[in-house]
Structure formats: C-alpha cells, structure tokens
Amino acid sequence: MIRLLQRGSIAKFDIYLDGLDSRKTGRFNDKQQGLLKLPIYQGDDDISGVVDLKMNKNKKIEHLGIRIELIGRIEILNDQKQSSDFMSMGRELDAQGILMEDKTYKFQFNKFEKQYESYYGKEVKLRYYLRVTMNRNYGQVKKEVEFAVQIVEQDQEDQPQTSLKLEVGIEDCLHIDFEYFKSRYHLRDVVTGKVNFYLVKIKIKYMELAVIRKEQIGQGNTQQTENDILVKYELMDGCPQKGEVVPIRLFLSGIDMSPTLKNVSGKFSVKYILNLILIDEDDRKYFKQQEITVYRKK
Amino acid sequence: MEEDQEKYLEDARKVVKEQAYFMRASLEKAQLKDALRYSSAMLSELKTSLLSPRNYYILFMQVFDEMRILENYFKEEYRRGRKMPDLYESVQHATYVIPRLYLLITVGSVFIQTHEIGAKVILLDLLECIKAIQHPLRGLFIRYYFLKLCKDRLPDTGSEYEGTGGNIDDAIEIIIRNLSEMNKLWIRMQGSKDKSKRERERLDLKVTIGENVTRLSNLEGVSLDTYKTKVLPKIIDIITSSKDAISQTYLMDCTIQAFPDEYHLQTLQELLKVCTTQLEPTVDIKNIFINLMGRLADFALNNDMGTFNSEVDIYSMFKQNIDKMLDSNSQIEFKNLLDLQVAFLNFTLRCYPNNSEYVNDILKSCCRLCERQNETDFTEECQKNIVKFLAMPLDTMSLSILTMNEYPNLMKHLPFQKRRQVAIKICQAVVNLNQVIDDLKITGELLKFIQPLLITQNDYVEIPENEFEEEQQLVARTVHLVQNGDLAIHNTILQQFIAKFQQGEINRQKYTYPAAIFALFRLIQLIAAQGGPQTQETQYKGLFEQIRGLIEVLQGHFPELALKLNLNFLLCINIVDQAQEFDEFSYDVGTQIITIFQDEIGDSNVKVVLLNQIMSTFAKLNCISGENFDTLAGNATQQAAKLLKKNEQAIGVLNSAHMFYNDHIKNVQRVQECFKKAIKIANQSIGNNPKFVYVFIQILNKYFYFFEQVEFKDAEIQEVIKMINEKLPKALSDNDEQSKKIKILWTATQELVRERKRRSIQAYQQINI
C-alpha cells in the first residue's frame, strides 16, 4: 500500500494498486529518495487499482475534473531541461463538478506499453509512475505512485554466444591474453574466463577485475559520460610465471546492475565494461577494458 | 629485522584472535552473514607479505584452528537445511582472493560430505580456483590448506566418495596436480637474492609439499601396479621437469621414504635411472642412494634373503647405475662419488656378506675413479673416505680380501697419515677378528698394508709418543695371531714379520722385537710338543741364535728389557732342553744376563728387583750343566753381596740359597754358606741399627723354609733367636713405619712357629720365641 498524506490540502488521494501481494518487487537505489522497493511490471502486465479520495472534513469541493495518468519519464538529474516524458497515458476519473462526499475510483491501463526498463542511475533515471490530479480554480490536488518496469530480452538469450578474446602486451615486458567465454550476460550470470601469461617481466602484485557502469547522456558534442566502478574483484594474488593460466570467475548476482541500455529515447545509454587490471609492485596499473552486454533473463 | 618479525606476528595474531572471537559470537547467534564477514577479516591477515615462512606458518595454524569451527558450523547449517550450492556461490562473492578461497575450500569440503555433488567435481573446481594464488608463500599455504581439508574427501578406492565422486585415478590426479603446483611455487620462492637465506626458508616449508607424497602413499587404491604405472611416472615427471636441486633432492627422498620398500624393489631401475641421468648436477645423489640402499638393506635383512636375491638383481642395478655416473663426464664432485662408493660398499657388505667378488668389483670401480683424479683432488675428506673404504670390508669379511689386487692401488693415493690410519684399522680388524694368521700370501699382503707402521717411509710424519706406543702394541698383538699346524710354515710366517721388523729401527723394535721373541718362544714350545724339530727350518739352534741376535739389538738401548728377555729365553730353553744339549749356549745367555746386570743396570732399586728375578729364574734351570751352573749361581751371589745397602746384601745373599737347593740341585753346603754369609753381614750392621732385627727375622724364616731339607747347627739358629729377642724391644719402641713392619713380620713368624709346634713337627720343638 502506498500512501501519501497531503497535509493541509483540501482533499487527499490514496492510490491502491491491485494484486501487490503476489507481485514481484525490486529494490532500486534512487539517488534522491534512497532505497525504493517497487512493484515490477513486465510484458503484457496490466496495471490497475483504485483511487481513494478523502474530503478532509470539507462538506463540498468544487473541481474542474479528476484525472489519472501513467507516465514514463527520463530525468537528467543535473539538467532538468533535458528531462522529458517519453510516454503519458491518461484516464478521466470524474468530470468537472462538485464533490459532496469521499469517493473511490477504479482505474485500469491494459497491457500498457513497456518500451524501456526502469533505471535509477547516477546522473539519469528512467522512472514510471501513476499520477492522479484534481484540478481546481485555485491550485491542484495531486498524488503520485511509482512503479518499475522490467523487460525480458528473450532474443539475447537465444542468440549464440561468442567469446571475447584479447591479446595484449608491452614489448619485452608483458605478454598476456585473456578471454571471457561469453560476451553477453544475464543479470544473475557468472563471468568466466581465463588469463594466459606468456611473458611476465614486471613484478605483478595482484590482478583484479572491475565492473564499470558507463552512463552516457545526450549525444554528439554535448554528450557527457559518467563512469562508476560497481565492483572490484581480486582475481590473482602474486606474480605468475610464464605459462600460468589464471581463471576468471565473477558472480554478477552480487552486483547492483541493470541491463545494458542503448540510446534510450535518444537521451541516454548505459553500458557495462569489464576492466582487467594488473597492478605491479610500484602500484603502476596495466589494464584493458572490454564492453559486455547485460540483459534480463526470464 | 628479527624484532620486527616478532611484532608483525604478534599484531597479526591479535587481529586473528579478535576477529575469530567475533566470528564465534556470530555463529552462536546463528548470524551466518556476520560470521562470514568476520572470518573474512580474520583470513585477510593471511594476505600479509611481512612474515617469514616460519611465522607465517604459526599464523596459518592459528587461523586453521578457527576455520575448523566454521567448517563444523557449515555442517550444522546443512543439517538445518541450508543449500550448499548457494553457500558455495555466496562465499565466492568475497572481494579478496585469499579469504575467498579459504572460505571456498572450507565450504567445498563440507559440500563433498553432503554427497549432493561428486567429490571430484568440487575438488577439481577448487584446484582450478586456487590457481589465483600465484604468490609463492601464500600459494603454498592455501594449497596446504586444501590438502589438509580435502585429503579425507578423495574418491579413493573403498572410500565413501568413490563411484559418482570419481575413482582412484581422480584421487591420484588431484594430489599430483596439487603437488606439481606446490612444487612450482616452492621453487619460485628461491628468487635470486639472498640465496642461502632463501634456501633455509624453503627447507622450513618442505613438509607442506611432502605431505602430498605422503597422502599418495596412503591411498588405499595405490597398489604396486598403480604405483608403477600411474603414480611414480607422474612424480618423476614433476621431479625432472623442474630444474631445481633442492626440490629434486627433497622429492626423491620423500618418495623413497613414503612408499613401501617392495615398491622400490619393483621400480628400482626407474628410480636409479632418474637419479643418475636426469637430476641436476648439484643434487646430492649420494644421499638419495644412501637412503635407498639403507632402506633396501634393512628390508633385505628383515625379509627372506632368498626373495631379495632372486627377484631383482639389486646389486647389479646399483652397480650399473653407479658406474654410469662414475664414467659419464658429469659434474658430480669426486668427493660425492667417493661417498657414494663408500655407501654402496657398505650396502653390499650388509646384503651380500659373503660375496667377495662384489667387493672387489666395487674396489675396482673406486680405483678407476681415483686414477682419474688429480693429486689435489684428494682432499682430507676424500682421504678419509678411502680409509673407510679400505677398512670397511675387514669388519665383516675374512682377511682374504687383503689379497684383492685393488687394495694397494687405492692405498697409494693416500698420504702417510692416512695410510697409517688404514694400517691401524687393518691391524685392529685382524686383532678384533681374532682369526689366526696362517697363510703366507695373506701375511705378505698384510705386511704390505701395515708397512706404514713397520718402516719409516719417505713421507713419514712424527707421531705423538702415546699414539706411537699404541700402534706398535697393536702390531705386537698381530704377531701373536700367527699360527699354522705345519710348524715350518708357522716359522716362515713369523720370519716374514721379523724380516719387516728388522727394517723398523730401534724405536719400533722396542715393541716389535719382544713380540717376535715371545712368538718364537711359543713356536719353540710347539716344536717341543711335537717331539722336537722335524725339519731343517725348525731346528732349535737356528731359532736360539736368532733370538739371541734380536735381544742383542735391544741390549744397547734397553738393557733392562734385554735382561728380562734373556731370563725368559733361559726359561724357554729350559723347557725344551732338559738334556743340556745347549749347555754352553745357555751358559752364555746366563753370563750375558750377569754382565748386563753388572755393567748396564745402575739404579739400585731396580737392581734389587732384577737380581731377585735372576735368582728365581736360575733356581728353575736344568738346562745348564753343574759346573757352568755353579759359576753362574756364584756370580749371581757375588752380585748380591755388591748391592748398595747392607740389608739388601744380606737378603740377596740369603735368597741365593734357592739357586743351590731346588728340584735340580741339592747342594746343602752352599746353602749353609749362604746363611752364614747373610748372618755375617747382618751382624755387622745390627750394632748401629736395632731395626736390622728385621733381617734377622727374615733369616729365621728362611731357616724354617729349608728346615726339612737341610740340617743347620742348632746353636746357629739359637744365636739368631737370641739376637732377635735382644734387639726386638728396642726396635719396636718407635712407632714408625719400620717398627710396624717388623711387628707384623714378627707376629706372623710367632704364629707360624706356634702352628708348626701344634702339628708336632720335630724341628720346631726347640724353637722358643
């Protein structure tokens, strides 16, 4: 039940979504609101519920109409001008008139379009919410309730995998190749692979694997990129000799990730990068980055 | 630096203790997540690079004990319904690889015990993951941890994990892989700096690697056949593919120690081949061989020798491989090769105690080896080994090995002191064996070998007096072992010794000649026992002449010794010549004795003793005719009268009476004369010295001795008694040593008389004292 008290206002809305007991929820880390626990809608899911209107001891309220909207919105956090709704659907709950008592309205959006995944990132978020509004001559009474949309990408699952293989080195100093056995991973997947050491003349202290999230906002010259290291994972302790093969195994389930998002509504993208880093005894770093695709699996 | 170590360790131990406390507290509250967090923090202490291997081990053991608690908790969790696959995954989320893998191994061990998954699957997965630790020390320890936790989770034959969990081949594969990786890490520890410190540190850790081998040997499924076809080849692979001497040495040793001796017997050829052809030149192959030979020898002695001998020709295998090493132009040091030869000889002597052919073959190899070396290669240590090499067979084999051709060839590589040592060892062996020396050829060889003791050689070095004496006495004892039923041969052998002794100069002859002389005495007696000389060589005359010659050599330097030898000589002649065939010869010897006594002996005390011996010897003789004997005895009596002190003179003269009345002579008159003369000398002195009464008491006793054979004038005896009675009170008035002596003698004399009277012996009745 989500309830928002509108103190001092003339009336108060409550929105109750149907079937929350059986609906999956997810946790989302919102930069402004903190940790959110939201119901999740997928595929052909409808969203329906009731709106409770409380008169707050008023005998009668004149209004210009009551409306509920389902809104999908991209917010660029440090540039509100760039924020915009990418979808908006509305239903009229009550026509202009006078309310004499508390009232309950049912609403329903059948199979509403779920074009994008919900996303709560560092500089950008993509959120879905329901908004009920009562317009009056002076001012509005409003109430919003947030929910999340997740998209299962079956086609990603069905496509054959290719491995990511890369040979890198510094002449006469270091020569390795590394391989991730897959290029696409679902959110609860395991990154596996191996690193072959062919030539090691530097004194390696350790090797780690970092997962980097890259938010790209806008396009062209004005594009701004935000890199976030989600996790650093030690892969190797000490310095191997040539011929050694060190395994890579990283469980993604422990990391707070979204699927890869590509050019969402022309506004932003989210990419994931694996960064393999060798650190030598003088704390110099040698690294190589590889983009992977992350998708949601059923 | 050392102090820092203490502190680092102390700090780390403190953190471990603290985190372990929190971990256990969380476990008690069943808060697994917290417990994992604290155990991670605890395990993170093992990430340190500050500790020496020893201290790291201490820390490791502390952590290890705490991890057992966690492991047990995981087991309980499983019983309470926790899904092991989830736990196995969740510990892998840990950021740092050291805590992550320690936890993973711990969960893995429990996971296997649930039988929900095949042991092999988890074990191989763990092995794969552990590759992440490439730091040598930390890598060794995490693999050690793996081994400790998983050694009882292997799909060994007959174990609960066999079947779906894999089979013995998998078990072997898992341990071998761990061994191989640990070995690589161990070798990597060597680094390039501070070589000896690193080596020490490495040796501190060797048991962690060795435990893999031990585990392999404990696998139920490792039968002889499996060992031969699957285990040993892989171990050999690991050994030979590394080029590290410490590792090779240790793993060879470990393998030999861990597996049963029957296995080694059946794979000896492979083991030896690896040792001789595939190891680094600095590997101490000698030690490996010594260990192996030691074990096989023990095995042979504890088991049926028959099987040992027939099944596999162990001697030949060792021989071939050792020879291969000797003959290849390898870089193995001479010293080590010699050590090896010594060990091999020792082995052969133990296992084939009667096979002198083997011994000779080994000697040959050793000679070949020595021939190749430069003179400077024969260091002190090498020389010691050659000494050992030569002496060792003597302890167990008969003297016949002395006739082996190779002995002298080896000996010549040694300097004097070492040759002397060998000689002493040989002598000791001969003496200890207590075997008779009865063979001419062996005697010849023996004398050759102990030449350093017999003759001053070119490179002779002065030896301390006491050692010299000891060594010469040893030689002397050797001579006494000469014996042969055929006395002609017996004599010839003795003559061989004597011929060498003659070249030995007087300081040796002091010891060797008396020995030779007594050996000749013995021979002479043996000849007599056979009824007299049977051959030309064993005629008395020649032997007597020889003895006289030998004594004459000594006489100039050691008159007293010569005198005593002559006395013994006379006794010897006396035994064989009752017929007085050599009367004149014996007389000459007697005269010689008197001459030496008179001219060469100065010390008056010595003279008293010697004269006593001379008289008692003469008293036994029957080999000298009457007239000659009288002269000799007379001379001896005269010598008595010339002694320094009056009492000595009196007693000397008194004693000479024995020469005139014994088994051979009954010359009463001469006896009486002796008494008279003695009393006369005593009377001359008693006036000045009442203590002289002692001599009178002795005279009285001497009367008693002759009482029954010789008639004395009663008055003469009474005179003596009177003198005693008169002087005794005065003599006893002092309380000094002499008075006591007198008193004791007088009391004994009184007792004797009393006793004789009681038995009613006639002559004593008129003696009143």
Side-chain angles (χ1 to χ4, degrees):
Chain A
M1 291 266 211
I2 296 158
R3 219 171 162 227
L4 222 95
L5 192 73
Q6 312 243 305
R7 260 181 209 288
S9 66
I10 191 152
K12 197 192 87 182
F13 285 121
D14 279 314
I15 302 171
Y16 300 103
L17 294 174
D18 289 341
L20 284 188
D21 290 347
S22 57
R23 183 159 296 280
K24 207 172 90 181
T25 59
R27 289 172 182 277
F28 298 87
N29 206 347
D30 185 282
K31 224 188 153 197
Q32 290 143 325
Q33 305 170 72
L35 200 63
L36 301 176
K37 192 178 166 200
L38 302 178
I40 292 167
Y41 293 82
Q42 291 179 315
D44 289 340
D45 288 353
D46 305 329
I47 188 166
S48 62
V50 293
V51 174
D52 251 2
L53 175 66
K54 293 261 165 22
M55 295 285 285
N56 277 0
K57 294 171 188 167
N58 292 310
K59 291 283 182 281
K60 67 176 193 185
I61 295 173
E62 241 175 286
H63 67 92
L64 300 172
I66 297 171
R67 212 179 142 71
I68 186 159
E69 290 160 297
L70 188 161
I71 296 162
R73 182 175 174 77
I74 293 168
E75 292 176 20
I76 310 297
L77 298 185
N78 59 7
D79 189 359
Q80 282 302 327
K81 277 183 273 173
Q82 290 294 318
S83 303
S84 65
D85 297 344
F86 58 87
M87 76 172 281
S88 173
M89 297 193 298
R91 300 274 188 277
E92 183 142 287
L93 296 178
D94 215 342
Q96 183 176 3
I98 298 165
L99 288 169
M100 304 298 288
E101 56 184 1
D102 291 355
K103 206 166 173 185
T104 300
Y105 305 97
K106 280 195 175 180
F107 70 89
Q108 183 159 18
F109 295 94
N110 283 337
K111 298 182 183 174
F112 67 97
E113 190 189 10
K114 304 174 187 72
Q115 194 182 350
Y116 305 120
E117 256 291 309
S118 294
Y119 175 74
Y120 294 82
K122 193 164 183 193
E123 292 299 326
V124 60
K125 57 183 171 182
L126 189 156
R127 51 191 286 259
Y128 288 87
Y129 58 97
L130 290 164
R131 182 170 68 197
V132 58
T133 327
M134 177 168 70
N135 285 318
R136 305 184 69 222
N137 281 333
Y138 307 100
Q140 272 185 331
V141 178
K142 248 199 320 196
K143 166 77 189 196
E144 288 178 9
V145 63
E146 208 158 339
F147 64 92
V149 165
Q150 290 185 343
I151 298 162
V152 172
E153 293 167 280
Q154 191 57 44
D155 55 333
Q156 290 279 11
E157 182 76 13
D158 297 341
Q159 276 174 41
Q161 287 279 2
T162 51
S163 75
L164 292 173
K165 220 170 168 178
L166 211 67
E167 214 175 303
V168 288
I170 306 165
E171 209 181 333
D172 297 330
C173 192
L174 180 71
H175 181 194
I176 65 172
D177 76 23
F178 62 92
E179 180 179 2
Y180 304 109
F181 298 140
K182 299 194 291 185
S183 58
R184 283 174 292 112
Y185 298 88
H186 63 79
L187 288 164
R188 304 192 63 80
D189 215 344
V190 190
V191 178
T192 53
K194 61 179 183 185
V195 185
N196 288 306
F197 290 85
Y198 296 120
L199 175 75
V200 187
K201 286 277 162 68
I202 52 172
K203 284 183 177 164
I204 299 172
K205 200 155 69 175
Y206 61 95
M207 174 169 76
E208 64 184 17
L209 183 65
V211 179
I212 299 170
R213 184 176 66 190
K214 209 175 200 142
E215 280 177 9
Q216 290 171 323
I217 299 158
Q219 277 175 350
N221 291 341
T222 58
Q223 188 182 55
Q224 105 189 52
T225 303
E226 200 56 48
N227 284 333
D228 242 333
I229 297 169
L230 300 182
V231 76
K232 265 186 183 175
Y233 189 76
E234 194 182 14
L235 282 184
M236 180 183 79
D237 172 28
C239 183
Q241 281 189 330
K242 68 171 193 180
E244 295 289 353
V245 182
V246 172
I248 298 171
R249 183 188 295 179
L250 172 65
F251 289 86
L252 296 179
S253 58
I255 308 170
D256 181 22
M257 289 172 93
S258 71
T260 298
L261 303 175
K262 274 197 188 127
N263 192 17
V264 178
S265 188
K267 295 274 184 199
F268 77 99
S269 300
V270 177
K271 292 176 177 173
Y272 288 95
I273 312 288
L274 292 178
N275 192 17
L276 189 82
I277 313 159
L278 293 168
I279 294 92
D280 74 8
E281 293 199 331
D282 301 321
D283 286 327
R284 275 188 298 255
K285 293 185 175 180
Y286 309 81
F287 62 90
K288 195 74 197 173
Q289 302 193 340
Q290 278 284 329
E291 188 183 343
I292 53 166
T293 304
V294 182
Y295 64 93
R296 186 175 299 285
K297 192 184 165 192
K298 201 170 176 191
Chain B
M1 193 60 201
E2 279 303 301
E3 282 165 29
D4 288 348
Q5 276 292 306
E6 295 282 308
K7 189 180 173 323
Y8 294 145
L9 177 63
E10 214 32 62
D11 291 351
R13 284 174 66 88
K14 228 158 95 187
V15 174
V16 168
K17 203 174 157 192
E18 201 172 82
Q19 297 299 327
Y21 171 81
F22 290 130
M23 177 190 86
R24 276 182 269 155
S26 306
L27 291 178
E28 266 163 40
K29 285 182 261 171
Q31 290 164 341
L32 182 61
K33 243 194 169 137
D34 289 343
L36 288 176
R37 202 175 74 234
Y38 291 124
S39 64
S40 257
M42 172 180 84
L43 288 163
S44 290
E45 287 304 303
L46 291 177
K47 283 159 67 180
T48 181
S49 298
L50 297 172
L51 294 178
S52 70
R54 263 171 192 275
N55 288 334
Y56 193 89
Y57 179 78
I58 294 171
L59 188 67
F60 170 86
M61 285 315 294
Q62 190 189 358
V63 171
F64 180 81
D65 289 341
E66 300 295 345
M67 290 303 284
R68 298 313 292 247
I69 298 168
L70 191 63
E71 191 194 6
N72 281 328
Y73 185 82
F74 288 156
K75 280 185 214 167
E76 287 167 32
E77 276 289 286
Y78 171 71
R79 271 180 235 121
R80 285 194 288 262
R82 165 124 8 217
K83 301 262 183 301
M84 289 318 282
D86 293 350
L87 193 57
Y88 193 72
E89 184 195 313
S90 75
V91 292
Q92 294 188 60
H93 292 181
T95 305
Y96 292 104
V97 68
I98 288 272
R100 183 197 311 152
L101 292 180
Y102 274 95
L103 284 171
L104 189 65
I105 292 167
T106 315
V107 176
S109 159
V110 176
F111 201 177
I112 294 170
Q113 291 173 71
T114 67
H115 290 279
E116 285 180 3
I117 191 162
K120 165 184 162 183
V121 177
I122 292 292
L123 293 173
L124 290 175
D125 189 54
L126 290 175
L127 276 177
E128 180 66 17
C129 290
I130 300 174
K131 281 191 193 166
I133 314 293
Q134 292 289 335
H135 182 275
L137 183 63
R138 296 191 285 269
L140 270 182
F141 272 95
I142 196 151
R143 286 179 179 278
Y144 185 50
Y145 186 73
F146 167 78
L147 185 65
K148 274 174 109 59
L149 254 72
C150 297
K151 66 178 179 187
D152 297 327
R153 321 268 174 260
L154 294 168
D156 187 10
T157 307
S159 100
E160 56 179 302
Y161 305 109
E162 196 192 8
T164 48
N167 59 22
I168 180 66
D169 290 348
D170 299 312
I172 293 171
E173 170 66 20
I174 285 158
I175 301 290
I176 286 282
R177 255 206 235 177
N178 198 46
L179 171 64
S180 166
E181 293 295 328
M182 281 181 89
N183 191 43
K184 279 199 269 178
L185 291 166
W186 193 42
I187 292 167
R188 230 187 273 170
M189 270 187 77
Q190 185 62 55
S192 48
K193 278 180 273 174
D194 221 344
K195 187 161 175 269
S196 65
K197 183 183 168 210
R198 289 293 178 91
E199 279 179 8
R200 268 199 318 279
E201 289 183 342
R202 283 183 64 190
L203 291 175
D204 283 344
L205 294 174
K206 64 180 182 184
V207 283
T208 60
I209 294 104
E211 217 166 283
N212 288 293
V213 182
T214 312
R215 183 64 191 111
L216 278 174
S217 75
N218 291 340
L219 286 174
E220 287 296 323
V222 175
S223 60
L224 174 60
D225 190 52
T226 317
Y227 174 74
K228 232 170 151 173
T229 54
K230 290 174 180 161
V231 177
L232 185 63
K234 283 178 185 159
I235 293 179
I236 289 178
D237 254 9
I238 291 172
I239 291 173
T240 53
S241 62
S242 89
K243 300 284 172 238
D244 181 271
I246 294 180
S247 156
Q248 293 186 337
T249 307
Y250 179 65
L251 287 181
M252 278 310 291
D253 187 47
C254 223
T255 307
I256 291 168
Q257 300 301 332
F259 290 97
D261 299 320
E262 310 132 75
Y263 289 17
H264 298 321
L265 272 182
Q266 298 298 329
T267 53
L268 193 57
Q269 191 58 53
E270 284 102 302
L271 275 181
L272 296 180
K273 207 181 120 211
V274 171
C275 287
T276 48
T277 60
Q278 287 174 281
L279 299 185
E280 292 297 295
T282 49
V283 170
D284 190 353
I285 301 172
K286 163 204 68 177
N287 259 346
I288 299 173
F289 269 61
I290 290 172
N291 278 340
L292 195 54
M293 290 190 286
R295 299 229 359 180
L296 293 182
D298 286 342
F299 181 72
L301 297 175
N302 293 332
N303 289 276
D304 183 13
M305 284 296 282
T307 13
F308 185 66
N309 280 332
S310 62
E311 231 178 278
V312 203
D313 186 358
I314 298 173
Y315 169 79
S316 300
M317 279 191 209
F318 274 116
K319 184 78 170 61
Q320 282 163 16
N321 280 286
I322 291 173
D323 282 354
K324 220 189 294 166
M325 262 197 284
L326 297 188
D327 296 334
S328 71
N329 270 334
S330 69
Q331 301 159 36
I332 307 172
E333 274 182 67
F334 173 49
K335 173 176 85 67
N336 287 336
L337 289 173
L338 261 185
D339 278 350
L340 181 57
Q341 290 286 339
V342 170
F344 184 41
L345 181 62
N346 187 27
F347 166 78
T348 307
L349 288 170
R350 284 183 71 193
C351 293
Y352 308 93
N354 300 316
N355 198 325
S356 58
E357 202 180 303
Y358 283 176
V359 173
N360 203 31
D361 283 348
I362 299 172
L363 286 172
K364 265 188 204 152
S365 302
C366 195
C367 279
R368 219 170 51 233
L369 173 66
C370 289
E371 291 299 332
R372 284 209 314 255
Q373 310 302 322
N374 299 321
E375 207 167 308
T376 48
D377 293 336
F378 289 86
T379 59
E380 176 72 17
E381 210 174 325
C382 294
Q383 292 169 6
K384 271 188 194 158
N385 264 332
I386 296 176
V387 171
K388 260 195 224 162
F389 205 85
L390 291 167
M392 234 166 21
L394 293 164
D395 292 336
T396 49
M397 304 193 92
S398 75
L399 283 180
S400 62
I401 59 141
L402 289 178
T403 59
M404 287 176 185
N405 312 332
E406 306 300 340
Y407 249 76
N409 290 337
L410 266 183
M411 194 78 157
K412 73 181 178 203
H413 295 290
L414 296 175
F416 169 72
Q417 278 289 17
K418 290 292 178 294
R419 290 201 310 279
R420 175 174 169 266
Q421 271 182 26
V422 174
I424 290 176
K425 290 231 162 94
I426 291 175
C427 273
Q428 279 169 341
V430 171
V431 170
N432 290 341
L433 276 173
N434 206 19
Q435 232 176 29
V436 295
I437 299 173
D438 60 355
D439 185 273
L440 277 171
K441 190 161 177 248
I442 290 176
T443 309
E445 293 300 326
L446 177 66
L447 287 170
K448 236 191 268 171
F449 288 122
I450 65 171
Q451 199 130 303
L453 306 181
L454 303 179
I455 296 168
T456 305
Q457 301 190 312
N458 293 336
D459 52 353
Y460 181 77
V461 180
E462 201 64 48
I463 298 153
E465 184 59 32
N466 58 333
E467 274 183 45
F468 179 77
E469 193 177 324
E470 228 170 86
E471 109 190 359
Q472 291 301 318
Q473 278 167 355
L474 197 57
V475 175
R477 288 172 72 186
T478 315
V479 185
H480 291 302
L481 293 170
V482 172
Q483 190 175 321
N484 192 304
D486 183 336
L487 295 180
I489 296 175
H490 185 138
N491 183 41
T492 315
I493 296 173
L494 262 189
Q495 296 304 332
Q496 280 184 298
F497 274 96
I498 292 168
K500 286 286 176 204
F501 293 167
Q502 281 169 340
Q503 302 170 45
E505 297 170 21
I506 191 70
N507 56 337
R508 290 192 190 82
Q509 287 162 351
K510 177 184 173 189
Y511 301 96
T512 54
Y513 273 16
I517 290 165
F518 275 94
L520 287 168
F521 289 166
R522 188 160 149 267
L523 173 64
I524 289 166
Q525 288 174 39
L526 288 169
I527 294 169
Q530 282 188 1
Q534 311 282 325
T535 61
Q536 194 54 45
E537 297 83 17
T538 55
Q539 294 299 321
Y540 293 137
K541 186 164 185 298
L543 294 172
F544 288 171
E545 290 291 354
Q546 182 176 33
I547 292 170
R548 183 157 70 176
L550 293 174
I551 295 176
E552 269 171 10
V553 172
L554 294 174
Q555 191 176 313
H557 300 83
F558 315 106
E560 188 184 337
L561 177 62
L563 189 153
K564 287 177 178 169
L565 286 170
N566 271 323
L567 288 175
N568 281 292
F569 190 17
L570 279 181
L571 288 173
C572 172
I573 298 172
N574 193 49
I575 292 170
V576 301
D577 188 34
Q578 293 287 314
Q580 302 187 345
E581 277 178 50
F582 296 93
D583 177 27
E584 283 303 320
F585 183 89
S586 305
Y587 175 70
D588 280 354
V589 175
T591 311
Q592 192 64 31
I593 290 169
I594 299 295
T595 311
I596 297 172
F597 182 83
Q598 186 179 302
D599 300 345
E600 311 283 349
I601 308 295
D603 187 307
S604 61
N605 290 328
V606 174
K607 278 193 132 166
V608 173
V609 176
L610 282 179
L611 187 60
N612 220 345
Q613 289 177 4
I614 292 171
M615 288 177 176
S616 66
T617 304
F618 282 2
K620 291 175 190 140
L621 298 180
N622 190 32
C623 56
I624 302 175
S625 64
E627 202 180 320
N628 281 338
F629 185 81
D630 278 352
T631 315
L632 272 182
N635 285 339
T637 314
Q638 277 170 21
Q639 293 302 324
K642 287 183 195 163
L643 287 173
L644 186 65
K645 295 179 188 160
K646 285 291 176 191
N647 60 337
E648 290 166 357
Q649 291 173 8
I651 305 286
V653 171
L654 189 65
N655 282 340
S656 62
H658 291 286
M659 292 189 290
F660 302 107
Y661 199 101
N662 51 48
D663 292 346
H664 316 299
I665 309 172
K666 316 270 187 237
N667 192 336
V668 175
Q669 195 201 334
R670 292 292 294 267
V671 174
Q672 289 166 340
E673 277 171 25
C674 288
F675 273 89
K676 275 191 190 126
K677 222 184 223 169
I679 291 168
K680 193 178 159 198
I681 297 168
N683 276 330
Q684 286 166 0
S685 305
I686 192 116
N688 311 329
N689 186 358
K691 301 264 164 65
F692 225 85
V693 72
Y694 188 76
V695 175
F696 280 96
I697 302 172
Q698 282 187 306
I699 293 171
L700 181 62
N701 274 288
K702 198 60 90 183
Y703 275 127
F704 296 159
Y705 178 85
F706 287 107
F707 240 20
E708 279 153 54
Q709 289 94 16
V710 181
E711 226 179 284
F712 296 102
K713 283 183 186 146
D714 190 42
E716 194 181 291
I717 298 172
Q718 293 303 333
E719 200 62 35
V720 170
I721 294 174
K722 193 182 146 209
M723 184 64 84
I724 293 170
N725 286 331
E726 190 186 315
K727 300 290 179 186
L728 198 58
K730 184 101 173 66
L732 293 178
S733 64
D734 292 336
N735 203 19
D736 61 1
E737 278 305 307
Q738 227 177 336
S739 302
K740 277 182 202 160
K741 242 171 82 183
I742 295 168
K743 193 169 183 194
I744 291 167
L745 182 62
W746 183 236
T747 315
T749 309
Q750 284 174 313
E751 179 59 34
L752 180 124
V753 172
R754 248 197 308 281
E755 197 258 345
R756 302 262 159 106
K757 276 183 173 170
R758 210 181 299 128
R759 281 159 52 196
S760 306
I761 297 173
Q762 185 57 45
Y764 290 86
Q765 299 312 322
Q766 67 269 33
I767 304 291
N768 293 309
I769 54 174

